[in-house]
Amino acid sequence: MKSKSTEHNVAEEPSTQLNKRKREHLSISYEQPSIQSFFKSKQPTKNVNDTIEIQINKIKEMRKPDGVAGNAPVDSDGCNYLAEQTKDPTLTEEERHEKEKTFRYQTLLSLLISSQTKDTTTGVAMKKLQEHGCTVDHIMNTPIEDIAKLIKPVTYYTKKAQYIHDTTKILQQQYKGDIPKTIEGLVKLPGIGQKMAVLCMNSAWHNPVGVGVDTHVHRISNRLKWSNTKTPEQTRKVLEEKIPKKYWSEINELLVGFGQMTCKLKPKCDSCLLSSEPGICPYFEEMSIEPEAKRKK
């Protein structure tokens, strides 16, 4: 015969198990998925090259004239657009050759002037030089003080005027009024660094030998995890290993315009196509997760 105490314990056991199951059920029902787990669960399986292709194509879409990053300052006042060009079919071979040399010279000067200067300011300075007469021979006969007045108010206009004079003298004496055809030759010119030389090879000689990296390209490359670097020069070396060569001729202008219009220091993520799909913009996902982490503290 079972004791009363034993009967009592047996009778209570099912009730205790039921309550335990209820508590477990309730604790689970109130758990909310974090933003981080959402992104991880939606993360598509892509290799690095596939992701870069998707990112570049989305940026191209935004950089169309009617896109959210279209009609950026670089699209009218970038170095690709400031040099004088002519397609006059009546020119003789010699005249055409001289025009091409002038085009390359002006492209070089636009890059030299553009350092730490807004594209629109660079555009105004180049127009003044062209109205004055922007050829090697004419600039060589222009006093440095007058060159400075023409390019003012670009950043460091006095120093850049000296660079223009000294560079022009070298071109006249050593290159028959043309510009060097190599990176090595270009970086020896006063005021011309690696980034300018790379861009000049692309724009003036139509020979994309590398990736030009300025502050916009550097910032965006790090946000997209193409690089994890501290300086534009470090970024250039990484991008030349990672970005397919077929994009080298256009990647600078694409990213500069994107940086000017959308991916600024304070980015407009709400209108950016890169934020519309999980796994495409690491920066957007990190910024989305950060507020949640702060709330939990």
Side-chain angles (χ1 to χ4, degrees), residues 140-191:
M140 198 61 252
N141 292 321
T142 303
I144 296 174
E145 295 78 9
D146 290 348
I147 297 174
K149 290 177 183 177
L150 288 167
I151 65 174
K152 187 179 178 179
V154 303
T155 310
Y156 307 122
Y157 62 89
T158 303
K159 182 182 290 186
K160 289 177 180 177
Q162 184 70 55
Y163 286 156
I164 289 172
H165 174 271
D166 294 348
T167 289
T168 303
K169 185 176 181 179
I170 292 171
L171 299 183
Q172 187 182 59
Q173 293 178 350
Q174 299 182 24
Y175 293 93
K176 299 181 180 179
D178 210 337
I179 69 171
K181 276 188 170 184
T182 65
I183 292 286
E184 294 74 19
L186 288 167
V187 296
K188 289 180 182 178
L189 299 174

Side-chain angles (χ1 to χ4, degrees), residues 82-115:
L82 295 179
E84 294 174 313
Q85 301 186 61
T86 180
K87 296 180 180 179
D88 187 350
T90 64
L91 293 177
T92 64
E93 184 66 21
E94 183 179 352
E95 289 172 332
R96 184 180 61 79
H97 181 63
E98 287 302 313
K99 290 287 185 181
E100 288 173 350
K101 285 166 59 175
T102 297
F103 166 79
R104 290 190 286 270
Y105 173 64
Q106 291 185 7
T107 299
L108 179 68
L109 292 196
S110 71
L111 285 163
L112 193 159
I113 291 170
S114 71
S115 176

Side-chain angles (χ1 to χ4, degrees), residues 257-277:
F258 181 50
Q260 289 175 336
M261 303 299 288
T262 304
C263 199
K264 303 180 178 184
L265 287 175
K266 292 184 177 180
K268 300 179 179 179
C269 296
D270 56 337
S271 62
C272 179
L273 295 181
L274 297 180
S275 66
S276 63
E277 181 181 341

Side-chain angles (χ1 to χ4, degrees), residues 1-273:
M1 180 175 179
K2 295 181 180 178
S3 66
K4 290 183 178 181
S5 61
T6 304
E7 290 176 348
H8 179 72
N9 290 337
V10 171
E12 283 187 346
E13 187 177 352
S15 176
T16 302
Q17 292 178 347
L18 178 60
N19 289 337
K20 186 177 180 182
R21 285 198 299 270
K22 284 183 177 180
R23 285 195 299 272
E24 290 174 349
H25 175 72
L26 289 173
S27 65
I28 293 171
S29 66
Y30 284 105
E31 289 180 357
Q32 297 295 328
S34 66
I35 295 175
Q36 188 170 13
S37 64
F38 167 78
F39 281 124
K40 286 183 177 179
S41 67
K42 298 292 184 180
Q43 189 84 8
T45 303
K46 301 184 183 75
N47 63 43
V48 173
N49 290 335
D50 287 342
T51 301
I52 290 175
E53 293 275 354
I54 293 171
Q55 290 165 331
I56 290 176
N57 286 331
K58 284 183 178 290
I59 293 172
K60 281 185 176 183
E61 188 68 25
M62 289 185 280
R63 290 284 286 116
K64 290 180 179 179
D66 58 347
V68 295
N71 298 312
V74 71
D75 297 329
S76 56
D77 293 310
C79 66
N80 286 335
Y81 306 100
L82 295 179
E84 294 174 313
Q85 301 186 61
T86 180
K87 296 180 180 179
D88 187 350
T90 64
L91 293 177
T92 64
E93 184 66 21
E94 183 179 352
E95 289 172 332
R96 184 180 61 79
H97 181 63
E98 287 302 313
K99 290 287 185 181
E100 288 173 350
K101 285 166 59 175
T102 297
F103 166 79
R104 290 190 286 270
Y105 173 64
Q106 291 185 7
T107 299
L108 179 68
L109 292 196
S110 71
L111 285 163
L112 193 159
I113 291 170
S114 71
S115 176
Q116 300 182 51
T117 301
K118 291 184 177 180
D119 286 333
T120 50
T121 305
T122 300
V124 171
M126 280 304 299
K127 285 181 175 63
K128 289 181 180 179
L129 282 175
Q130 289 164 347
E131 290 169 359
H132 171 74
C134 194
T135 63
V136 168
D137 291 339
H138 200 72
I139 295 298
M140 198 61 252
N141 292 321
T142 303
I144 296 174
E145 295 78 9
D146 290 348
I147 297 174
K149 290 177 183 177
L150 288 167
I151 65 174
K152 187 179 178 179
V154 303
T155 310
Y156 307 122
Y157 62 89
T158 303
K159 182 182 290 186
K160 289 177 180 177
Q162 184 70 55
Y163 286 156
I164 289 172
H165 174 271
D166 294 348
T167 289
T168 303
K169 185 176 181 179
I170 292 171
L171 299 183
Q172 187 182 59
Q173 293 178 350
Q174 299 182 24
Y175 293 93
K176 299 181 180 179
D178 210 337
I179 69 171
K181 276 188 170 184
T182 65
I183 292 286
E184 294 74 19
L186 288 167
V187 296
K188 289 180 182 178
L189 299 174
I192 302 298
Q194 183 75 27
K195 179 199 79 172
M196 293 181 192
V198 170
L199 292 173
C200 193
M201 289 295 294
N202 183 33
S203 299
W205 290 109
H206 308 294
N207 181 15
V209 296
V211 177
V213 177
D214 70 347
T215 181
H216 295 291
V217 178
H218 174 61
R219 179 178 68 252
I220 294 167
S221 296
N222 277 275
R223 284 179 175 177
L224 295 179
K225 303 301 184 188
W226 294 353
S227 60
N228 182 20
T229 52
K230 296 186 180 299
T231 68
E233 179 59 16
Q234 291 172 347
T235 301
R236 179 189 67 81
K237 292 178 181 178
V238 173
L239 294 187
E240 288 177 0
E241 293 180 357
K242 190 171 291 187
I243 300 298
K245 286 189 176 182
K246 64 181 180 180
Y247 293 122
W248 284 12
S249 64
E250 60 181 331
I251 195 68
N252 176 269
E253 188 174 333
L254 270 177
L255 295 188
V256 169
F258 181 50
Q260 289 175 336
M261 303 299 288
T262 304
C263 199
K264 303 180 178 184
L265 287 175
K266 292 184 177 180
K268 300 179 179 179
C269 296
D270 56 337
S271 62
C272 179
L273 295 181

